[in-house]
Amino acid sequence: MKKRNLIAACAIAALTTMSIQAQTPIYLDKNQPIEDRVQDALSRMTLEEKVAMTHAQSKFSSPGVPRLGIPELWWCDGPHGVRAEIEWNSWGYANWTNDSITAFPALTCLAATWNPELSYAYGDALGAEARYRKKDIILGPGVNMYRHPLNGRNFEYMGEDPYLASIMVVPYIKGVQQNGVATSTKHYVLNDQEKWRGHINVEISDRALHEIYLPPFKAAVVDGEGWTIMGAYNKVRGQHACHNELLLNEILKNDWGFDGVVVTDWGGAHDTKEAALYGLDVEMGSYTNGLTSESDFGYNDYYLADPYLAMLKSGEVPMSTVDDKASRILRLIFRTAMNPDRPWGSQATPEHAAVARTVGEEGIVLLRNEPVAKKSTPLLPLDASKYNKILVVGENASRSLTQGGGSSELKPKEEISPLAGLQAIYGNKISYAAGYKAGRSMYGNVEIITQAVEDSLRAEAVAMAKDADLVIYVGGLNKNHEQDCEAGDRITYSLPFAQDQLIEEILAVNPNMVMTLLSGNAVEMPWVNRVPAILQSWYLGSQAGNAIANVLSGAVNPSGKLPFSFPKKLEDNGAIHFGEMSYPGDSINQTYLEDILVGYRWHDTKKIPALYPFGYGLSYTIFEYSKPEISTNKLLPSETATVKVKVRNTGKVAGKEVVQLYISDKKSSLPRPEKELKGFQKVDLQPGEEKEVIFTITPAELSYYDDARHEWVAEPGIFEALIGASSTDIKGKARFELVF
Ligand code: BGC
């Protein structure tokens, strides 16, 4: 090149660089405030580009703005691990070979740890896996309240108490989101049954809504600062939850100040105008808008696609609606997909396996631990020297329980079954009989197990049990349709697959039985007083076998506490007690007739004892509680009181105890539950060690929601602070008066 041309070329290059630098748009500059970037990006977008962002482009992605270099968003189930890749435009798995992950324990188990630090570790590990898999949003956590034991999705939620769920959900969200991956707390709200979930209309009092069902979602939004929230399939007070003026515009966005994205549950939108006006931001789904099969352009027919564009153009809905939705989506993109500072993540690491195992170990609840013969010691922990022949019975000992269950299904890199976990400790002392067989069934495709097969499996197990020193029974529910599974509720409260008969026949030949129940729900236990040791072991994911074996062997001292009550019989549950209109409804409507008396609030107030109460769980050691001391017996509304209690481990092994604070309002103008959980702390104690636990009480802990005044109210009068090892095992009380 001639010298003159070279100089000219350099000058042009310099100019171009300068002009590019000078013109770097605000939205691409990570150092600019996020709101300025949102406004800048929005100002550059066409109407069509804004509308495109508000609905899916594939089963699990929604568009960015390709012209502006704004990336698309990838959404992924959730909530117990990063789901395997799904095909672009069908519900089939894509069969990738790089998408095997850590399966973490189900959220019921996480709640049963009563350990917020573990919730943070869980969220952080899950977020790292999501990030490595290039996901921007994890569809979880789930915090619908455990209203009754038939809900097929209770295993994905955090139990029956709004305080427990609120405390546990926040660190999960913080843990996930620090990886630059958003959470999507679901299903907002009152999706408390799977039966008729797509259309059932829930009628509920303001009190029950605000005192029981909303608090965990509020905690997720206000304290957890979750970046997205998923609407529920059902209707609430006549309007679909995914476009609901009260729930989304008034409560979520106005009262709680939510600045993130509301996404439908998949296929949860039903009307363009309502979706435009009543708080929905992104429509995802399948077969939406009356489509019954897949098509390449189906996404254009979504309610928030072409029909929305047409309404905007005709002026039927205001442009401000799409500007608001697009702003929220852009904010989400800057927080996730366009966040250059987010870590790279990691997948299926030993550290994540350790988190999964620890959550499992701390979440397992020891329900019962009796000696087999009088004067001997409790059966657990197992003294291996006493047993030469240990028979493991039950399909759940060997069945993959990360498969099935619906959208929370996982493809773990490793899944250690209970049988494998026990074999690793007890070696060839272990033999195995399935005892029963469930087959696999999803969404109504049921694999039939014949009576002959059932009988022969049972006979084999009973014969082997006769000859064993100890039987470890590993049964419960599974992830089949109408068990712990999405899109259907359980049909009966009792154990399925003729397990009660199997258990009875085994007990008749060998009473040395340890039972470990794998389920996300309470079950009926007609044999309860004849089985010396019972563990509630949930769905524990990749490390299930190790966690169970460590607790049974005593390597880990159990410290889980129930996050929901186990009624003796189904009718003892408050929601079920009121019959069809309360649950499941008449197929169009249902009314939550138990109102605020959910779970232990019902059992306590109505004096209907549960078989195993909320907050209950045994240990291999003994904890002694001192008398609680309160800092004042007259509390002013502007003040706080503290309640102190000392807890001592008087047994021989180290252990953890969950010290619980309940508040009881002795007299109030509106009916209140007998007591409500308002604090808890998990303490770790060596043998002989004592620790002081301090709770703070403010008027907020004393309040109820006054539906006439539409606000939380603390009334003057006498209250009791109850310190308990469960909701019924109250160790001490302190009385005080709220004075105005
Ligand atoms: C479930 C959601 C899930 C979504 C996507 C729906 O059927 O209710 O919880 O996140 O599918 O798989």
Short mmCIF file of all heavy atoms in Angstrom, two decimals, residues 488-530:
data_model
loop_
_atom_site.label_atom_id
_atom_site.label_comp_id
_atom_site.label_asym_id
_atom_site.label_seq_id
_atom_site.Cartn_x
_atom_site.Cartn_y
_atom_site.Cartn_z
N GLY A 488 -51.70 -34.73 39.05
CA GLY A 488 -52.69 -35.63 39.65
C GLY A 488 -52.48 -35.64 41.15
O GLY A 488 -51.37 -35.38 41.62
N ASP A 489 -53.54 -35.90 41.90
CA ASP A 489 -53.39 -36.01 43.35
C ASP A 489 -53.40 -37.47 43.75
O ASP A 489 -53.78 -38.35 42.97
CB ASP A 489 -54.55 -35.28 44.06
CG ASP A 489 -54.32 -33.78 44.11
OD1 ASP A 489 -53.20 -33.33 43.78
OD2 ASP A 489 -55.27 -33.07 44.46
N ARG A 490 -52.99 -37.73 44.98
CA ARG A 490 -53.07 -39.09 45.51
C ARG A 490 -54.55 -39.46 45.66
O ARG A 490 -55.39 -38.61 45.90
CB ARG A 490 -52.39 -39.17 46.87
CG ARG A 490 -50.91 -38.94 46.81
CD ARG A 490 -50.34 -38.74 48.21
NE ARG A 490 -50.43 -39.95 49.03
CZ ARG A 490 -50.32 -39.93 50.35
NH1 ARG A 490 -50.16 -38.79 51.00
NH2 ARG A 490 -50.39 -41.06 51.04
N ILE A 491 -54.82 -40.75 45.53
CA ILE A 491 -56.19 -41.24 45.63
C ILE A 491 -56.50 -41.67 47.06
O ILE A 491 -57.60 -41.50 47.55
CB ILE A 491 -56.41 -42.44 44.67
CG1 ILE A 491 -56.01 -42.05 43.25
CG2 ILE A 491 -57.84 -42.95 44.73
CD1 ILE A 491 -56.84 -40.94 42.65
N THR A 492 -55.50 -42.24 47.72
CA THR A 492 -55.72 -42.68 49.10
C THR A 492 -54.58 -42.17 49.98
O THR A 492 -53.49 -41.85 49.50
CB THR A 492 -55.71 -44.22 49.22
OG1 THR A 492 -54.42 -44.69 48.82
CG2 THR A 492 -56.77 -44.86 48.37
N TYR A 493 -54.88 -42.14 51.28
CA TYR A 493 -53.88 -41.71 52.26
C TYR A 493 -52.96 -42.87 52.63
O TYR A 493 -51.85 -42.68 53.09
CB TYR A 493 -54.63 -41.18 53.49
CG TYR A 493 -53.77 -40.57 54.57
CD1 TYR A 493 -52.70 -39.73 54.24
CD2 TYR A 493 -54.02 -40.81 55.91
CE1 TYR A 493 -51.92 -39.15 55.23
CE2 TYR A 493 -53.25 -40.24 56.92
CZ TYR A 493 -52.19 -39.41 56.57
OH TYR A 493 -51.42 -38.84 57.55
N SER A 494 -53.45 -44.09 52.41
CA SER A 494 -52.65 -45.25 52.82
C SER A 494 -51.53 -45.52 51.83
O SER A 494 -51.52 -45.01 50.71
CB SER A 494 -53.54 -46.48 52.95
OG SER A 494 -54.25 -46.65 51.75
N LEU A 495 -50.60 -46.35 52.25
CA LEU A 495 -49.49 -46.71 51.36
C LEU A 495 -50.02 -47.48 50.16
O LEU A 495 -50.90 -48.33 50.31
CB LEU A 495 -48.49 -47.59 52.11
CG LEU A 495 -47.54 -46.90 53.07
CD1 LEU A 495 -46.65 -47.93 53.75
CD2 LEU A 495 -46.68 -45.86 52.36
N PRO A 496 -49.49 -47.21 48.97
CA PRO A 496 -49.95 -47.92 47.77
C PRO A 496 -49.25 -49.27 47.59
O PRO A 496 -48.36 -49.63 48.38
CB PRO A 496 -49.52 -46.96 46.66
CG PRO A 496 -48.29 -46.32 47.19
CD PRO A 496 -48.48 -46.20 48.68
N PHE A 497 -49.63 -49.98 46.55
CA PHE A 497 -48.99 -51.21 46.09
C PHE A 497 -49.03 -52.31 47.17
O PHE A 497 -48.08 -53.07 47.33
CB PHE A 497 -47.53 -50.96 45.64
CG PHE A 497 -47.35 -49.65 44.92
CD1 PHE A 497 -46.47 -48.69 45.39
CD2 PHE A 497 -48.08 -49.37 43.78
CE1 PHE A 497 -46.32 -47.48 44.74
CE2 PHE A 497 -47.94 -48.15 43.12
CZ PHE A 497 -47.06 -47.20 43.60
N ALA A 498 -50.13 -52.35 47.91
CA ALA A 498 -50.37 -53.38 48.94
C ALA A 498 -49.23 -53.45 49.96
O ALA A 498 -48.91 -54.50 50.51
CB ALA A 498 -50.59 -54.75 48.28
N GLN A 499 -48.61 -52.31 50.25
CA GLN A 499 -47.49 -52.32 51.19
C GLN A 499 -47.94 -52.62 52.62
O GLN A 499 -47.20 -53.23 53.39
CB GLN A 499 -46.74 -50.99 51.16
CG GLN A 499 -45.92 -50.80 49.89
CD GLN A 499 -45.19 -49.47 49.92
OE1 GLN A 499 -44.15 -49.35 50.54
NE2 GLN A 499 -45.76 -48.48 49.24
N ASP A 500 -49.15 -52.16 53.00
CA ASP A 500 -49.59 -52.42 54.38
C ASP A 500 -49.66 -53.92 54.65
O ASP A 500 -49.24 -54.40 55.70
CB ASP A 500 -50.95 -51.77 54.65
CG ASP A 500 -50.83 -50.26 54.83
OD1 ASP A 500 -49.71 -49.79 55.11
OD2 ASP A 500 -51.84 -49.55 54.67
N GLN A 501 -50.17 -54.64 53.67
CA GLN A 501 -50.26 -56.11 53.82
C GLN A 501 -48.86 -56.71 53.93
O GLN A 501 -48.60 -57.57 54.78
CB GLN A 501 -51.02 -56.69 52.62
CG GLN A 501 -51.29 -58.17 52.79
CD GLN A 501 -51.96 -58.79 51.56
OE1 GLN A 501 -52.35 -58.08 50.62
NE2 GLN A 501 -52.08 -60.10 51.57
N LEU A 502 -47.98 -56.24 53.08
CA LEU A 502 -46.60 -56.74 53.09
C LEU A 502 -45.95 -56.47 54.45
O LEU A 502 -45.33 -57.36 55.06
CB LEU A 502 -45.81 -56.05 51.96
CG LEU A 502 -44.31 -56.27 51.91
CD1 LEU A 502 -43.98 -57.73 51.62
CD2 LEU A 502 -43.68 -55.38 50.82
N ILE A 503 -46.12 -55.27 54.95
CA ILE A 503 -45.51 -54.90 56.24
C ILE A 503 -46.07 -55.78 57.36
O ILE A 503 -45.33 -56.31 58.20
CB ILE A 503 -45.75 -53.40 56.53
CG1 ILE A 503 -44.98 -52.55 55.51
CG2 ILE A 503 -45.35 -53.03 57.95
CD1 ILE A 503 -45.43 -51.10 55.43
N GLU A 504 -47.40 -55.94 57.37
CA GLU A 504 -48.04 -56.77 58.41
C GLU A 504 -47.50 -58.20 58.36
O GLU A 504 -47.19 -58.80 59.39
CB GLU A 504 -49.57 -56.81 58.22
CG GLU A 504 -50.28 -55.49 58.44
CD GLU A 504 -50.31 -55.04 59.89
OE1 GLU A 504 -49.80 -55.77 60.76
OE2 GLU A 504 -50.82 -53.93 60.14
N GLU A 505 -47.39 -58.74 57.16
CA GLU A 505 -46.95 -60.14 57.05
C GLU A 505 -45.49 -60.29 57.47
O GLU A 505 -45.10 -61.28 58.08
CB GLU A 505 -47.19 -60.67 55.64
CG GLU A 505 -48.67 -60.88 55.36
CD GLU A 505 -48.96 -61.58 54.03
OE1 GLU A 505 -48.06 -62.24 53.48
OE2 GLU A 505 -50.11 -61.45 53.54
N ILE A 506 -44.68 -59.28 57.19
CA ILE A 506 -43.28 -59.35 57.63
C ILE A 506 -43.20 -59.23 59.15
O ILE A 506 -42.49 -59.99 59.81
CB ILE A 506 -42.43 -58.26 56.95
CG1 ILE A 506 -42.32 -58.53 55.45
CG2 ILE A 506 -41.03 -58.20 57.56
CD1 ILE A 506 -41.62 -57.45 54.66
N LEU A 507 -43.96 -58.27 59.71
CA LEU A 507 -43.94 -58.09 61.16
C LEU A 507 -44.36 -59.36 61.89
O LEU A 507 -43.85 -59.66 62.98
CB LEU A 507 -44.86 -56.93 61.57
CG LEU A 507 -44.33 -55.52 61.31
CD1 LEU A 507 -45.43 -54.49 61.59
CD2 LEU A 507 -43.09 -55.22 62.15
N ALA A 508 -45.26 -60.12 61.27
CA ALA A 508 -45.73 -61.35 61.91
C ALA A 508 -44.61 -62.38 62.02
O ALA A 508 -44.60 -63.19 62.95
CB ALA A 508 -46.91 -61.92 61.11
N VAL A 509 -43.64 -62.33 61.13
CA VAL A 509 -42.55 -63.32 61.20
C VAL A 509 -41.26 -62.73 61.75
O VAL A 509 -40.36 -63.45 62.18
CB VAL A 509 -42.26 -63.97 59.82
CG1 VAL A 509 -43.49 -64.74 59.33
CG2 VAL A 509 -41.79 -62.96 58.80
N ASN A 510 -41.16 -61.39 61.73
CA ASN A 510 -39.93 -60.77 62.23
C ASN A 510 -40.21 -59.33 62.70
O ASN A 510 -40.31 -58.42 61.87
CB ASN A 510 -38.86 -60.77 61.12
CG ASN A 510 -37.50 -60.39 61.66
OD1 ASN A 510 -37.39 -59.76 62.71
ND2 ASN A 510 -36.46 -60.79 60.93
N PRO A 511 -40.30 -59.12 64.01
CA PRO A 511 -40.62 -57.77 64.51
C PRO A 511 -39.42 -56.83 64.52
O PRO A 511 -39.57 -55.65 64.79
CB PRO A 511 -41.10 -58.04 65.94
CG PRO A 511 -40.44 -59.31 66.34
CD PRO A 511 -40.21 -60.12 65.09
N ASN A 512 -38.25 -57.34 64.22
CA ASN A 512 -37.04 -56.49 64.19
C ASN A 512 -37.03 -55.66 62.91
O ASN A 512 -36.28 -55.95 61.99
CB ASN A 512 -35.78 -57.36 64.19
CG ASN A 512 -35.36 -57.73 65.58
OD1 ASN A 512 -36.00 -57.34 66.56
ND2 ASN A 512 -34.28 -58.47 65.67
N MET A 513 -37.84 -54.64 62.88
CA MET A 513 -37.94 -53.90 61.62
C MET A 513 -37.59 -52.43 61.80
O MET A 513 -38.08 -51.77 62.70
CB MET A 513 -39.35 -54.00 61.04
CG MET A 513 -39.46 -53.29 59.70
SD MET A 513 -41.17 -53.13 59.12
CE MET A 513 -41.49 -54.76 58.50
N VAL A 514 -36.74 -51.95 60.90
CA VAL A 514 -36.52 -50.51 60.77
C VAL A 514 -37.24 -50.10 59.50
O VAL A 514 -37.05 -50.72 58.46
CB VAL A 514 -35.03 -50.19 60.57
CG1 VAL A 514 -34.85 -48.68 60.35
CG2 VAL A 514 -34.21 -50.66 61.73
N MET A 515 -38.06 -49.06 59.60
CA MET A 515 -38.76 -48.63 58.40
C MET A 515 -38.22 -47.29 57.96
O MET A 515 -38.08 -46.37 58.78
CB MET A 515 -40.25 -48.52 58.68
CG MET A 515 -40.98 -47.87 57.56
SD MET A 515 -42.72 -48.05 57.74
CE MET A 515 -42.92 -49.79 57.62
N THR A 516 -37.89 -47.18 56.68
CA THR A 516 -37.54 -45.86 56.17
C THR A 516 -38.48 -45.54 55.01
O THR A 516 -38.55 -46.25 54.03
CB THR A 516 -36.02 -45.73 55.89
OG1 THR A 516 -35.78 -44.49 55.27
CG2 THR A 516 -35.44 -46.85 55.08
N LEU A 517 -39.26 -44.49 55.23
CA LEU A 517 -40.30 -44.12 54.26
C LEU A 517 -39.78 -43.04 53.34
O LEU A 517 -39.31 -41.99 53.79
CB LEU A 517 -41.53 -43.59 54.98
CG LEU A 517 -42.37 -44.63 55.73
CD1 LEU A 517 -43.46 -43.94 56.54
CD2 LEU A 517 -43.00 -45.62 54.76
N LEU A 518 -39.85 -43.31 52.04
CA LEU A 518 -39.45 -42.31 51.06
C LEU A 518 -40.71 -41.73 50.44
O LEU A 518 -41.46 -42.44 49.75
CB LEU A 518 -38.57 -42.98 49.97
CG LEU A 518 -37.07 -43.09 50.29
CD1 LEU A 518 -36.82 -43.72 51.63
CD2 LEU A 518 -36.34 -43.84 49.20
N SER A 519 -40.96 -40.47 50.74
CA SER A 519 -42.17 -39.83 50.21
C SER A 519 -42.04 -38.34 50.43
O SER A 519 -41.17 -37.88 51.18
CB SER A 519 -43.42 -40.34 50.94
OG SER A 519 -43.48 -39.78 52.24
N GLY A 520 -42.93 -37.60 49.79
CA GLY A 520 -42.99 -36.16 50.03
C GLY A 520 -44.25 -35.80 50.75
O GLY A 520 -44.63 -34.63 50.81
N ASN A 521 -44.94 -36.80 51.27
CA ASN A 521 -46.25 -36.62 51.87
C ASN A 521 -46.39 -37.51 53.09
O ASN A 521 -45.72 -38.54 53.19
CB ASN A 521 -47.34 -37.02 50.87
CG ASN A 521 -47.99 -35.80 50.24
OD1 ASN A 521 -48.33 -34.83 50.92
ND2 ASN A 521 -48.18 -35.84 48.93
N ALA A 522 -47.31 -37.11 53.98
CA ALA A 522 -47.66 -37.97 55.10
C ALA A 522 -48.43 -39.18 54.57
O ALA A 522 -49.10 -39.08 53.54
CB ALA A 522 -48.53 -37.20 56.09
N VAL A 523 -48.31 -40.31 55.26
CA VAL A 523 -49.08 -41.51 54.89
C VAL A 523 -49.72 -42.09 56.15
O VAL A 523 -49.29 -41.81 57.26
CB VAL A 523 -48.19 -42.60 54.23
CG1 VAL A 523 -47.56 -42.09 52.96
CG2 VAL A 523 -47.12 -43.10 55.20
N GLU A 524 -50.74 -42.89 55.93
CA GLU A 524 -51.39 -43.57 57.05
C GLU A 524 -50.48 -44.71 57.53
O GLU A 524 -49.86 -45.39 56.72
CB GLU A 524 -52.73 -44.14 56.57
CG GLU A 524 -53.62 -44.60 57.67
CD GLU A 524 -55.05 -44.76 57.18
OE1 GLU A 524 -55.25 -45.21 56.03
OE2 GLU A 524 -55.97 -44.43 57.93
N MET A 525 -50.44 -44.92 58.85
CA MET A 525 -49.52 -45.94 59.38
C MET A 525 -50.25 -46.86 60.35
O MET A 525 -50.07 -46.77 61.57
CB MET A 525 -48.36 -45.27 60.13
CG MET A 525 -47.56 -44.30 59.30
SD MET A 525 -46.09 -43.76 60.21
CE MET A 525 -45.58 -42.39 59.20
N PRO A 526 -51.05 -47.80 59.85
CA PRO A 526 -51.82 -48.66 60.76
C PRO A 526 -50.95 -49.55 61.64
O PRO A 526 -51.39 -50.00 62.69
CB PRO A 526 -52.68 -49.51 59.80
CG PRO A 526 -52.08 -49.36 58.45
CD PRO A 526 -51.33 -48.06 58.44
N TRP A 527 -49.71 -49.78 61.24
CA TRP A 527 -48.79 -50.67 61.96
C TRP A 527 -47.84 -49.90 62.88
O TRP A 527 -46.90 -50.46 63.43
CB TRP A 527 -47.96 -51.45 60.91
CG TRP A 527 -47.86 -50.69 59.62
CD1 TRP A 527 -48.55 -50.94 58.48
CD2 TRP A 527 -47.09 -49.50 59.37
NE1 TRP A 527 -48.26 -49.99 57.51
CE2 TRP A 527 -47.36 -49.10 58.04
CE3 TRP A 527 -46.21 -48.72 60.12
CZ2 TRP A 527 -46.79 -47.97 57.45
CZ3 TRP A 527 -45.65 -47.59 59.55
CH2 TRP A 527 -45.93 -47.23 58.24
N VAL A 528 -48.08 -48.59 63.03
CA VAL A 528 -47.06 -47.72 63.62
C VAL A 528 -46.55 -48.20 64.98
O VAL A 528 -45.35 -48.14 65.26
CB VAL A 528 -47.56 -46.27 63.70
CG1 VAL A 528 -48.72 -46.10 64.65
CG2 VAL A 528 -46.45 -45.31 64.04
N ASN A 529 -47.42 -48.74 65.82
CA ASN A 529 -46.98 -49.10 67.15
C ASN A 529 -46.25 -50.44 67.20
O ASN A 529 -45.75 -50.85 68.25
CB ASN A 529 -48.17 -49.14 68.12
CG ASN A 529 -48.73 -47.77 68.31
OD1 ASN A 529 -47.97 -46.79 68.33
ND2 ASN A 529 -50.05 -47.65 68.37
N ARG A 530 -46.19 -51.11 66.07
CA ARG A 530 -45.51 -52.40 66.05
C ARG A 530 -44.18 -52.37 65.30
O ARG A 530 -43.49 -53.37 65.23
CB ARG A 530 -46.44 -53.46 65.46
CG ARG A 530 -47.48 -53.92 66.51
CD ARG A 530 -48.58 -54.73 65.94
NE ARG A 530 -49.44 -53.91 65.12
CZ ARG A 530 -49.76 -54.18 63.86
NH1 ARG A 530 -49.30 -55.26 63.29
NH2 ARG A 530 -50.55 -53.37 63.18
#
